[in-house]
Amino acid sequence: MWGMNQNTDTANLARELGGAQWGLLPVLLCWPLLVESGWFDWQQAAMLVFASLMACNDLAVRRIPNSLNLITAVTGLAGCLALGGLEAMSWAFLSGIMVFAFMCFFFFIGAIGGGDVKALAALACFLSPMNAIYLFVFTTLAGGVLAVALLLVKRFKEFRVAGLGAIRLGTNNLSMPYGLAIWSGVLLLLLGGYA
């Protein structure tokens, strides 16, 4: 009887420790190292950590939680308030609203989901309006490259099975976790020195 309960407890513990969140532990542990290395300041490192959390969640369960988006936006606005005062926070809030409006276009044409719109807007709350535009452009470009790569891989697999007739336009249930494009856009922004 004791052995049976122990196996059940072990299985429950393994289930509790599974999922996207525990795979992110290395990312969270690397945040102080990013800051201490001098490559990023605390705000840039926080932005990269939040983008990594979003990408991992999107890859694992194909959604970015609203709670993560809210925490990201609040952290960005609070950081701007602490570093630059009320004026900096106002500009950061404007950045978030502006990126939200830009991303709504892609949402309304069905290219991305609502969580992706909120995620990029939340990350823009770390930035000035000009840098938020760079983030939008880098993310859009990364999303386009990833979508084309995914399409080519899918078409190549179909071509190998069905021959030349398989190559044609159309998505055929093609799905891409846009959180990966958001993460790529943040990384390009940071490595390019635009944040």
Side-chain angles (χ1 to χ4, degrees):
M1 178 74 87
W2 179 80
M4 190 169 156
N5 286 341
Q6 184 180 12
N7 288 341
T8 305
D9 291 341
T10 304
N12 288 338
L13 179 63
R15 197 173 318 115
E16 290 282 329
L17 293 178
Q21 290 74 21
W22 283 97
L24 298 170
L25 191 58
V27 173
L28 294 173
L29 293 175
C30 288
W31 183 55
L33 296 174
L34 290 172
V35 175
E36 288 301 316
S37 71
W39 280 27
F40 303 111
D41 63 22
W42 78 268
Q43 206 168 10
Q44 293 168 332
M47 196 173 163
L48 186 58
V49 166
F50 282 122
S52 299
L53 288 168
M54 291 170 179
C56 288
N57 266 293
D58 206 9
L59 284 168
V61 294
R62 294 297 169 105
R63 68 181 296 272
I64 301 173
N66 286 334
S67 57
L68 179 57
N69 293 332
L70 179 63
I71 291 168
T72 303
V74 168
T75 302
L77 293 172
C80 288
L81 178 64
L83 292 177
L86 196 55
E87 183 179 355
M89 188 184 79
S90 300
W91 284 112
F93 182 75
L94 176 65
S95 298
I97 296 295
M98 185 175 62
V99 168
F100 183 83
F102 290 161
M103 292 297 285
C104 278
F105 169 76
F106 294 104
F107 173 73
F108 289 128
I109 65 171
I112 59 173
D116 304 324
V117 173
K118 293 177 274 189
L120 196 62
L123 288 167
C125 290
F126 283 90
L127 303 169
S128 69
M130 191 63 207
N131 289 343
I133 292 172
Y134 287 128
L135 175 63
F136 171 76
V137 169
F138 289 147
T139 300
T140 305
L141 291 174
V145 168
L146 289 170
V148 167
L150 186 64
L151 184 64
L152 290 175
V153 167
K154 184 175 179 2
R155 294 297 177 222
F156 179 71
K157 286 181 182 177
E158 289 176 2
F159 177 72
R160 285 185 26 206
V161 172
L164 193 58
I167 299 179
R168 62 186 169 278
L169 292 176
T171 59
N172 296 342
N173 298 325
L174 192 62
S175 159
M176 180 187 77
Y178 203 75
L180 190 57
I182 293 172
W183 179 83
S184 300
V186 168
L187 193 61
L188 289 170
L189 181 85
L190 296 177
L191 293 177
Y194 294 101

Short mmCIF file of all heavy atoms in Angstrom, two decimals, residues 31-96:
data_model
loop_
_atom_site.label_atom_id
_atom_site.label_comp_id
_atom_site.label_asym_id
_atom_site.label_seq_id
_atom_site.Cartn_x
_atom_site.Cartn_y
_atom_site.Cartn_z
N TRP A 31 19.27 35.92 -15.45
CA TRP A 31 19.02 37.35 -15.44
C TRP A 31 20.09 38.13 -14.68
O TRP A 31 20.65 39.09 -15.21
CB TRP A 31 17.62 37.63 -14.89
CG TRP A 31 17.24 39.07 -14.89
CD1 TRP A 31 17.24 39.91 -15.95
CD2 TRP A 31 16.82 39.84 -13.78
NE1 TRP A 31 16.83 41.16 -15.58
CE2 TRP A 31 16.57 41.14 -14.25
CE3 TRP A 31 16.62 39.57 -12.45
CZ2 TRP A 31 16.14 42.16 -13.41
CZ3 TRP A 31 16.19 40.59 -11.62
CH2 TRP A 31 15.95 41.86 -12.11
N PRO A 32 20.45 37.73 -13.44
CA PRO A 32 21.53 38.46 -12.76
C PRO A 32 22.86 38.38 -13.50
O PRO A 32 23.63 39.34 -13.50
CB PRO A 32 21.62 37.78 -11.39
CG PRO A 32 20.33 37.08 -11.20
CD PRO A 32 19.86 36.71 -12.57
N LEU A 33 23.12 37.26 -14.17
CA LEU A 33 24.37 37.13 -14.93
C LEU A 33 24.39 38.09 -16.11
O LEU A 33 25.44 38.65 -16.43
CB LEU A 33 24.55 35.69 -15.42
CG LEU A 33 24.71 34.63 -14.33
CD1 LEU A 33 24.74 33.24 -14.94
CD2 LEU A 33 25.96 34.88 -13.53
N LEU A 34 23.25 38.28 -16.76
CA LEU A 34 23.18 39.23 -17.88
C LEU A 34 23.49 40.64 -17.40
O LEU A 34 24.20 41.40 -18.07
CB LEU A 34 21.79 39.20 -18.52
CG LEU A 34 21.42 37.95 -19.31
CD1 LEU A 34 19.95 38.02 -19.71
CD2 LEU A 34 22.29 37.81 -20.54
N VAL A 35 22.96 40.99 -16.23
CA VAL A 35 23.18 42.33 -15.68
C VAL A 35 24.63 42.49 -15.24
O VAL A 35 25.28 43.49 -15.54
CB VAL A 35 22.21 42.61 -14.53
CG1 VAL A 35 22.51 43.94 -13.87
CG2 VAL A 35 20.77 42.59 -15.03
N GLU A 36 25.15 41.49 -14.52
CA GLU A 36 26.51 41.57 -14.00
C GLU A 36 27.56 41.53 -15.11
O GLU A 36 28.65 42.06 -14.94
CB GLU A 36 26.77 40.44 -13.00
CG GLU A 36 26.06 40.62 -11.67
CD GLU A 36 26.46 41.90 -10.96
OE1 GLU A 36 27.67 42.21 -10.93
OE2 GLU A 36 25.59 42.59 -10.45
N SER A 37 27.24 40.90 -16.23
CA SER A 37 28.21 40.81 -17.32
C SER A 37 28.47 42.16 -17.97
O SER A 37 29.48 42.35 -18.62
CB SER A 37 27.71 39.82 -18.38
OG SER A 37 26.60 40.38 -19.08
N GLY A 38 27.54 43.09 -17.78
CA GLY A 38 27.69 44.41 -18.38
C GLY A 38 27.12 44.49 -19.80
O GLY A 38 27.15 45.55 -20.41
N TRP A 39 26.63 43.38 -20.34
CA TRP A 39 26.06 43.40 -21.68
C TRP A 39 24.74 44.16 -21.70
O TRP A 39 24.43 44.86 -22.64
CB TRP A 39 25.82 41.99 -22.17
CG TRP A 39 27.04 41.30 -22.69
CD1 TRP A 39 28.34 41.56 -22.31
CD2 TRP A 39 27.11 40.28 -23.65
NE1 TRP A 39 29.19 40.74 -22.98
CE2 TRP A 39 28.46 39.93 -23.81
CE3 TRP A 39 26.16 39.59 -24.37
CZ2 TRP A 39 28.88 38.95 -24.68
CZ3 TRP A 39 26.58 38.60 -25.25
CH2 TRP A 39 27.92 38.29 -25.40
N PHE A 40 23.94 43.97 -20.64
CA PHE A 40 22.62 44.59 -20.56
C PHE A 40 22.47 45.26 -19.22
O PHE A 40 23.02 44.81 -18.22
CB PHE A 40 21.51 43.53 -20.70
CG PHE A 40 21.58 42.72 -21.96
CD1 PHE A 40 21.92 41.38 -21.92
CD2 PHE A 40 21.31 43.29 -23.18
CE1 PHE A 40 21.97 40.62 -23.07
CE2 PHE A 40 21.35 42.54 -24.35
CZ PHE A 40 21.70 41.21 -24.29
N ASP A 41 21.68 46.34 -19.19
CA ASP A 41 21.31 46.90 -17.89
C ASP A 41 20.13 46.09 -17.36
O ASP A 41 19.62 45.20 -18.04
CB ASP A 41 21.01 48.40 -17.98
CG ASP A 41 19.82 48.75 -18.87
OD1 ASP A 41 18.97 47.88 -19.11
OD2 ASP A 41 19.75 49.90 -19.32
N TRP A 42 19.67 46.39 -16.16
CA TRP A 42 18.63 45.55 -15.55
C TRP A 42 17.34 45.59 -16.36
O TRP A 42 16.63 44.60 -16.47
CB TRP A 42 18.36 45.97 -14.10
CG TRP A 42 17.52 47.20 -13.99
CD1 TRP A 42 17.96 48.49 -13.89
CD2 TRP A 42 16.10 47.26 -14.01
NE1 TRP A 42 16.90 49.35 -13.87
CE2 TRP A 42 15.74 48.63 -13.93
CE3 TRP A 42 15.09 46.31 -14.10
CZ2 TRP A 42 14.41 49.04 -13.93
CZ3 TRP A 42 13.78 46.74 -14.10
CH2 TRP A 42 13.45 48.09 -14.01
N GLN A 43 17.04 46.74 -16.97
CA GLN A 43 15.80 46.87 -17.73
C GLN A 43 15.86 46.04 -19.02
O GLN A 43 14.90 45.37 -19.38
CB GLN A 43 15.56 48.34 -18.05
CG GLN A 43 14.12 48.69 -18.25
CD GLN A 43 13.91 50.20 -18.28
OE1 GLN A 43 14.85 50.98 -18.34
NE2 GLN A 43 12.67 50.60 -18.26
N GLN A 44 16.99 46.08 -19.72
CA GLN A 44 17.14 45.28 -20.93
C GLN A 44 17.12 43.79 -20.59
O GLN A 44 16.50 43.00 -21.32
CB GLN A 44 18.45 45.64 -21.63
CG GLN A 44 18.47 47.04 -22.19
CD GLN A 44 19.86 47.45 -22.62
OE1 GLN A 44 20.87 46.98 -22.08
NE2 GLN A 44 19.93 48.34 -23.60
N ALA A 45 17.78 43.41 -19.50
CA ALA A 45 17.79 42.01 -19.09
C ALA A 45 16.38 41.55 -18.72
O ALA A 45 15.97 40.44 -19.08
CB ALA A 45 18.75 41.81 -17.92
N ALA A 46 15.62 42.40 -18.03
CA ALA A 46 14.24 42.05 -17.67
C ALA A 46 13.40 41.88 -18.93
O ALA A 46 12.59 40.95 -19.03
CB ALA A 46 13.64 43.12 -16.76
N MET A 47 13.61 42.75 -19.89
CA MET A 47 12.87 42.65 -21.15
C MET A 47 13.18 41.33 -21.86
O MET A 47 12.28 40.66 -22.37
CB MET A 47 13.26 43.85 -22.03
CG MET A 47 12.35 44.11 -23.16
SD MET A 47 12.87 45.66 -23.94
CE MET A 47 12.02 45.50 -25.48
N LEU A 48 14.45 40.93 -21.87
CA LEU A 48 14.84 39.68 -22.50
C LEU A 48 14.26 38.48 -21.76
O LEU A 48 13.81 37.51 -22.37
CB LEU A 48 16.36 39.58 -22.58
CG LEU A 48 16.93 38.40 -23.33
CD1 LEU A 48 16.44 38.37 -24.77
CD2 LEU A 48 18.45 38.42 -23.30
N VAL A 49 14.25 38.55 -20.43
CA VAL A 49 13.69 37.45 -19.63
C VAL A 49 12.19 37.32 -19.89
O VAL A 49 11.68 36.21 -20.11
CB VAL A 49 13.99 37.65 -18.13
CG1 VAL A 49 13.15 36.72 -17.27
CG2 VAL A 49 15.47 37.42 -17.86
N PHE A 50 11.46 38.44 -19.89
CA PHE A 50 10.02 38.39 -20.15
C PHE A 50 9.74 37.87 -21.57
O PHE A 50 8.81 37.09 -21.78
CB PHE A 50 9.36 39.75 -19.94
CG PHE A 50 9.13 40.08 -18.50
CD1 PHE A 50 9.67 41.23 -17.94
CD2 PHE A 50 8.38 39.25 -17.69
CE1 PHE A 50 9.45 41.55 -16.61
CE2 PHE A 50 8.16 39.55 -16.35
CZ PHE A 50 8.70 40.71 -15.81
N ALA A 51 10.53 38.31 -22.55
CA ALA A 51 10.34 37.83 -23.92
C ALA A 51 10.61 36.32 -23.99
O ALA A 51 9.92 35.59 -24.71
CB ALA A 51 11.26 38.58 -24.87
N SER A 52 11.60 35.84 -23.24
CA SER A 52 11.89 34.41 -23.21
C SER A 52 10.76 33.63 -22.57
O SER A 52 10.39 32.55 -23.04
CB SER A 52 13.20 34.16 -22.44
OG SER A 52 14.27 34.81 -23.07
N LEU A 53 10.20 34.18 -21.49
CA LEU A 53 9.05 33.53 -20.85
C LEU A 53 7.87 33.43 -21.82
O LEU A 53 7.20 32.40 -21.91
CB LEU A 53 8.63 34.32 -19.61
CG LEU A 53 9.54 34.25 -18.39
CD1 LEU A 53 9.14 35.30 -17.37
CD2 LEU A 53 9.49 32.88 -17.77
N MET A 54 7.63 34.51 -22.54
CA MET A 54 6.53 34.53 -23.52
C MET A 54 6.76 33.50 -24.62
O MET A 54 5.84 32.76 -25.00
CB MET A 54 6.39 35.93 -24.11
CG MET A 54 5.89 36.96 -23.14
SD MET A 54 6.04 38.61 -23.85
CE MET A 54 5.38 39.60 -22.53
N ALA A 55 7.98 33.46 -25.15
CA ALA A 55 8.28 32.53 -26.24
C ALA A 55 8.15 31.08 -25.78
O ALA A 55 7.58 30.25 -26.49
CB ALA A 55 9.68 32.79 -26.79
N CYS A 56 8.66 30.78 -24.59
CA CYS A 56 8.59 29.40 -24.10
C CYS A 56 7.15 28.98 -23.85
O CYS A 56 6.77 27.85 -24.16
CB CYS A 56 9.43 29.25 -22.84
SG CYS A 56 11.19 29.30 -23.18
N ASN A 57 6.35 29.88 -23.28
CA ASN A 57 4.93 29.55 -23.09
C ASN A 57 4.24 29.33 -24.43
O ASN A 57 3.45 28.41 -24.57
CB ASN A 57 4.23 30.67 -22.32
CG ASN A 57 4.18 30.42 -20.84
OD1 ASN A 57 3.52 29.49 -20.39
ND2 ASN A 57 4.91 31.21 -20.09
N ASP A 58 4.53 30.18 -25.39
CA ASP A 58 3.89 30.06 -26.70
C ASP A 58 4.32 28.77 -27.40
O ASP A 58 3.52 28.11 -28.04
CB ASP A 58 4.21 31.28 -27.55
CG ASP A 58 3.15 31.56 -28.60
OD1 ASP A 58 2.08 30.92 -28.55
OD2 ASP A 58 3.38 32.42 -29.46
N LEU A 59 5.58 28.40 -27.27
CA LEU A 59 6.05 27.16 -27.87
C LEU A 59 5.43 25.94 -27.19
O LEU A 59 5.09 24.97 -27.85
CB LEU A 59 7.58 27.07 -27.79
CG LEU A 59 8.35 27.94 -28.77
CD1 LEU A 59 9.82 27.98 -28.39
CD2 LEU A 59 8.18 27.42 -30.19
N ALA A 60 5.28 26.01 -25.86
CA ALA A 60 4.80 24.85 -25.11
C ALA A 60 3.29 24.66 -25.23
O ALA A 60 2.82 23.55 -25.45
CB ALA A 60 5.20 24.97 -23.65
N VAL A 61 2.53 25.73 -25.06
CA VAL A 61 1.06 25.59 -24.99
C VAL A 61 0.32 26.45 -26.01
O VAL A 61 -0.89 26.53 -25.98
CB VAL A 61 0.53 25.88 -23.56
CG1 VAL A 61 1.03 24.84 -22.59
CG2 VAL A 61 0.90 27.27 -23.11
N ARG A 62 1.07 27.13 -26.88
CA ARG A 62 0.49 27.97 -27.95
C ARG A 62 -0.39 29.09 -27.43
O ARG A 62 -1.39 29.44 -28.03
CB ARG A 62 -0.29 27.11 -28.95
CG ARG A 62 0.57 26.16 -29.74
CD ARG A 62 1.56 26.96 -30.60
NE ARG A 62 2.56 26.10 -31.18
CZ ARG A 62 2.59 25.74 -32.46
NH1 ARG A 62 1.67 26.17 -33.26
NH2 ARG A 62 3.54 24.98 -32.91
N ARG A 63 0.01 29.65 -26.29
CA ARG A 63 -0.67 30.86 -25.81
C ARG A 63 0.28 31.60 -24.87
O ARG A 63 1.18 31.00 -24.27
CB ARG A 63 -2.00 30.55 -25.14
CG ARG A 63 -1.94 29.80 -23.85
CD ARG A 63 -3.33 29.52 -23.27
NE ARG A 63 -4.05 30.70 -22.92
CZ ARG A 63 -3.98 31.32 -21.74
NH1 ARG A 63 -3.19 30.86 -20.81
NH2 ARG A 63 -4.70 32.40 -21.50
N ILE A 64 0.09 32.91 -24.79
CA ILE A 64 0.86 33.74 -23.87
C ILE A 64 -0.12 34.24 -22.83
O ILE A 64 -1.08 34.94 -23.16
CB ILE A 64 1.53 34.92 -24.61
CG1 ILE A 64 2.48 34.39 -25.70
CG2 ILE A 64 2.28 35.80 -23.63
CD1 ILE A 64 3.06 35.45 -26.60
N PRO A 65 0.08 33.87 -21.56
CA PRO A 65 -0.91 34.20 -20.53
C PRO A 65 -1.06 35.71 -20.32
O PRO A 65 -0.08 36.46 -20.37
CB PRO A 65 -0.35 33.54 -19.27
CG PRO A 65 0.73 32.62 -19.70
CD PRO A 65 1.19 33.08 -21.04
N ASN A 66 -2.28 36.13 -20.07
CA ASN A 66 -2.56 37.54 -19.79
C ASN A 66 -1.82 38.00 -18.54
O ASN A 66 -1.38 39.15 -18.47
CB ASN A 66 -4.05 37.77 -19.63
CG ASN A 66 -4.78 37.73 -20.94
OD1 ASN A 66 -4.20 38.00 -22.00
ND2 ASN A 66 -6.05 37.37 -20.91
N SER A 67 -1.68 37.12 -17.55
CA SER A 67 -0.98 37.50 -16.32
C SER A 67 0.48 37.84 -16.62
O SER A 67 1.03 38.80 -16.07
CB SER A 67 -1.07 36.38 -15.28
OG SER A 67 -0.55 35.17 -15.81
N LEU A 68 1.11 37.09 -17.50
CA LEU A 68 2.50 37.39 -17.89
C LEU A 68 2.58 38.71 -18.63
O LEU A 68 3.49 39.52 -18.38
CB LEU A 68 3.05 36.25 -18.75
CG LEU A 68 4.48 36.41 -19.24
CD1 LEU A 68 5.46 36.60 -18.09
CD2 LEU A 68 4.88 35.20 -20.09
N ASN A 69 1.62 38.98 -19.51
CA ASN A 69 1.60 40.26 -20.21
C ASN A 69 1.42 41.42 -19.25
O ASN A 69 2.07 42.46 -19.38
CB ASN A 69 0.48 40.27 -21.26
CG ASN A 69 0.74 39.30 -22.39
OD1 ASN A 69 1.88 39.01 -22.71
ND2 ASN A 69 -0.33 38.81 -22.99
N LEU A 70 0.53 41.25 -18.27
CA LEU A 70 0.30 42.31 -17.29
C LEU A 70 1.53 42.57 -16.43
O LEU A 70 1.92 43.73 -16.23
CB LEU A 70 -0.90 41.94 -16.39
CG LEU A 70 -1.26 42.95 -15.31
CD1 LEU A 70 -1.69 44.27 -15.92
CD2 LEU A 70 -2.35 42.40 -14.41
N ILE A 71 2.17 41.51 -15.96
CA ILE A 71 3.39 41.66 -15.14
C ILE A 71 4.48 42.33 -15.96
O ILE A 71 5.21 43.20 -15.45
CB ILE A 71 3.84 40.29 -14.60
CG1 ILE A 71 2.84 39.78 -13.57
CG2 ILE A 71 5.23 40.37 -14.01
CD1 ILE A 71 3.04 38.33 -13.18
N THR A 72 4.59 41.98 -17.22
CA THR A 72 5.60 42.58 -18.09
C THR A 72 5.35 44.09 -18.25
O THR A 72 6.28 44.89 -18.10
CB THR A 72 5.59 41.90 -19.47
OG1 THR A 72 5.82 40.51 -19.31
CG2 THR A 72 6.65 42.48 -20.38
N ALA A 73 4.12 44.46 -18.53
CA ALA A 73 3.80 45.88 -18.72
C ALA A 73 4.02 46.67 -17.44
O ALA A 73 4.60 47.76 -17.47
CB ALA A 73 2.36 46.03 -19.20
N VAL A 74 3.57 46.14 -16.32
CA VAL A 74 3.74 46.84 -15.04
C VAL A 74 5.22 46.99 -14.70
O VAL A 74 5.65 48.06 -14.23
CB VAL A 74 2.97 46.11 -13.92
CG1 VAL A 74 3.34 46.63 -12.55
CG2 VAL A 74 1.46 46.25 -14.15
N THR A 75 6.01 45.95 -14.94
CA THR A 75 7.45 46.02 -14.67
C THR A 75 8.10 47.09 -15.54
O THR A 75 8.93 47.87 -15.08
CB THR A 75 8.11 44.66 -14.90
OG1 THR A 75 7.49 43.68 -14.06
CG2 THR A 75 9.60 44.71 -14.59
N GLY A 76 7.75 47.11 -16.82
CA GLY A 76 8.32 48.11 -17.72
C GLY A 76 7.96 49.53 -17.33
O GLY A 76 8.81 50.42 -17.29
N LEU A 77 6.68 49.75 -17.01
CA LEU A 77 6.25 51.10 -16.61
C LEU A 77 6.86 51.51 -15.28
O LEU A 77 7.29 52.66 -15.11
CB LEU A 77 4.72 51.15 -16.53
CG LEU A 77 3.99 51.01 -17.87
CD1 LEU A 77 2.49 50.87 -17.64
CD2 LEU A 77 4.30 52.18 -18.78
N ALA A 78 6.94 50.57 -14.33
CA ALA A 78 7.54 50.88 -13.03
C ALA A 78 9.02 51.18 -13.17
O ALA A 78 9.55 52.09 -12.52
CB ALA A 78 7.32 49.71 -12.06
N GLY A 79 9.70 50.43 -14.04
CA GLY A 79 11.12 50.71 -14.27
C GLY A 79 11.34 52.07 -14.88
O GLY A 79 12.25 52.80 -14.49
N CYS A 80 10.50 52.45 -15.83
CA CYS A 80 10.61 53.78 -16.44
C CYS A 80 10.31 54.88 -15.43
O CYS A 80 10.97 55.92 -15.41
CB CYS A 80 9.69 53.89 -17.65
SG CYS A 80 10.25 52.93 -19.05
N LEU A 81 9.35 54.62 -14.56
CA LEU A 81 9.02 55.59 -13.51
C LEU A 81 10.19 55.75 -12.55
O LEU A 81 10.57 56.87 -12.18
CB LEU A 81 7.77 55.16 -12.75
CG LEU A 81 7.32 56.05 -11.59
CD1 LEU A 81 6.92 57.43 -12.11
CD2 LEU A 81 6.17 55.41 -10.83
N ALA A 82 10.81 54.63 -12.16
CA ALA A 82 11.93 54.68 -11.21
C ALA A 82 13.16 55.34 -11.82
O ALA A 82 13.87 56.08 -11.13
CB ALA A 82 12.27 53.26 -10.75
N LEU A 83 13.42 55.11 -13.09
CA LEU A 83 14.63 55.64 -13.71
C LEU A 83 14.47 57.04 -14.28
O LEU A 83 15.42 57.83 -14.26
CB LEU A 83 15.10 54.71 -14.83
CG LEU A 83 15.60 53.34 -14.40
CD1 LEU A 83 15.95 52.49 -15.61
CD2 LEU A 83 16.80 53.48 -13.49
N GLY A 84 13.27 57.35 -14.81
CA GLY A 84 13.12 58.63 -15.50
C GLY A 84 11.98 59.49 -15.02
O GLY A 84 11.72 60.54 -15.60
N GLY A 85 11.26 59.03 -14.02
CA GLY A 85 10.16 59.82 -13.49
C GLY A 85 8.88 59.64 -14.27
O GLY A 85 8.74 58.77 -15.14
N LEU A 86 7.93 60.52 -13.97
CA LEU A 86 6.60 60.43 -14.56
C LEU A 86 6.61 60.65 -16.07
O LEU A 86 5.85 60.01 -16.80
CB LEU A 86 5.68 61.46 -13.87
CG LEU A 86 4.21 61.28 -14.06
CD1 LEU A 86 3.76 59.89 -13.63
CD2 LEU A 86 3.44 62.34 -13.28
N GLU A 87 7.49 61.52 -16.55
CA GLU A 87 7.56 61.77 -17.99
C GLU A 87 8.01 60.52 -18.75
O GLU A 87 7.43 60.15 -19.78
CB GLU A 87 8.51 62.93 -18.28
CG GLU A 87 8.56 63.28 -19.76
CD GLU A 87 9.49 64.45 -20.06
OE1 GLU A 87 10.03 65.05 -19.12
OE2 GLU A 87 9.67 64.71 -21.25
N ALA A 88 9.03 59.83 -18.25
CA ALA A 88 9.50 58.61 -18.89
C ALA A 88 8.43 57.53 -18.88
O ALA A 88 8.25 56.80 -19.86
CB ALA A 88 10.77 58.10 -18.20
N MET A 89 7.69 57.43 -17.77
CA MET A 89 6.62 56.45 -17.70
C MET A 89 5.51 56.79 -18.70
O MET A 89 4.94 55.90 -19.32
CB MET A 89 6.05 56.36 -16.29
CG MET A 89 5.06 55.21 -16.15
SD MET A 89 4.28 55.11 -14.55
CE MET A 89 3.04 56.38 -14.70
N SER A 90 5.23 58.07 -18.86
CA SER A 90 4.21 58.48 -19.84
C SER A 90 4.61 58.11 -21.26
O SER A 90 3.79 57.62 -22.04
CB SER A 90 3.97 59.99 -19.76
OG SER A 90 3.54 60.36 -18.48
N TRP A 91 5.89 58.31 -21.60
CA TRP A 91 6.37 57.94 -22.92
C TRP A 91 6.32 56.42 -23.11
O TRP A 91 5.99 55.93 -24.19
CB TRP A 91 7.78 58.45 -23.16
CG TRP A 91 7.83 59.92 -23.45
CD1 TRP A 91 8.35 60.89 -22.66
CD2 TRP A 91 7.31 60.59 -24.61
NE1 TRP A 91 8.20 62.12 -23.25
CE2 TRP A 91 7.56 61.96 -24.45
CE3 TRP A 91 6.66 60.16 -25.76
CZ2 TRP A 91 7.19 62.91 -25.41
CZ3 TRP A 91 6.30 61.10 -26.72
CH2 TRP A 91 6.56 62.45 -26.53
N ALA A 92 6.66 55.67 -22.05
CA ALA A 92 6.61 54.21 -22.12
C ALA A 92 5.17 53.73 -22.31
O ALA A 92 4.91 52.79 -23.08
CB ALA A 92 7.22 53.60 -20.87
N PHE A 93 4.23 54.37 -21.61
CA PHE A 93 2.82 54.02 -21.77
C PHE A 93 2.37 54.29 -23.20
O PHE A 93 1.68 53.48 -23.82
CB PHE A 93 1.97 54.80 -20.76
CG PHE A 93 0.51 54.45 -20.81
CD1 PHE A 93 0.05 53.26 -20.27
CD2 PHE A 93 -0.40 55.32 -21.39
CE1 PHE A 93 -1.30 52.93 -20.32
CE2 PHE A 93 -1.75 55.02 -21.44
CZ PHE A 93 -2.20 53.80 -20.91
N LEU A 94 2.79 55.43 -23.75
CA LEU A 94 2.47 55.76 -25.15
C LEU A 94 3.06 54.71 -26.10
O LEU A 94 2.41 54.31 -27.07
CB LEU A 94 3.00 57.16 -25.50
CG LEU A 94 2.82 57.59 -26.95
CD1 LEU A 94 1.34 57.72 -27.30
CD2 LEU A 94 3.55 58.89 -27.21
N SER A 95 4.27 54.24 -25.80
CA SER A 95 4.91 53.20 -26.62
C SER A 95 4.05 51.94 -26.64
O SER A 95 3.85 51.33 -27.70
CB SER A 95 6.30 52.87 -26.09
OG SER A 95 7.13 53.99 -26.14
N GLY A 96 3.57 51.54 -25.48
CA GLY A 96 2.74 50.35 -25.39
C GLY A 96 1.45 50.49 -26.18
O GLY A 96 1.05 49.58 -26.91
#
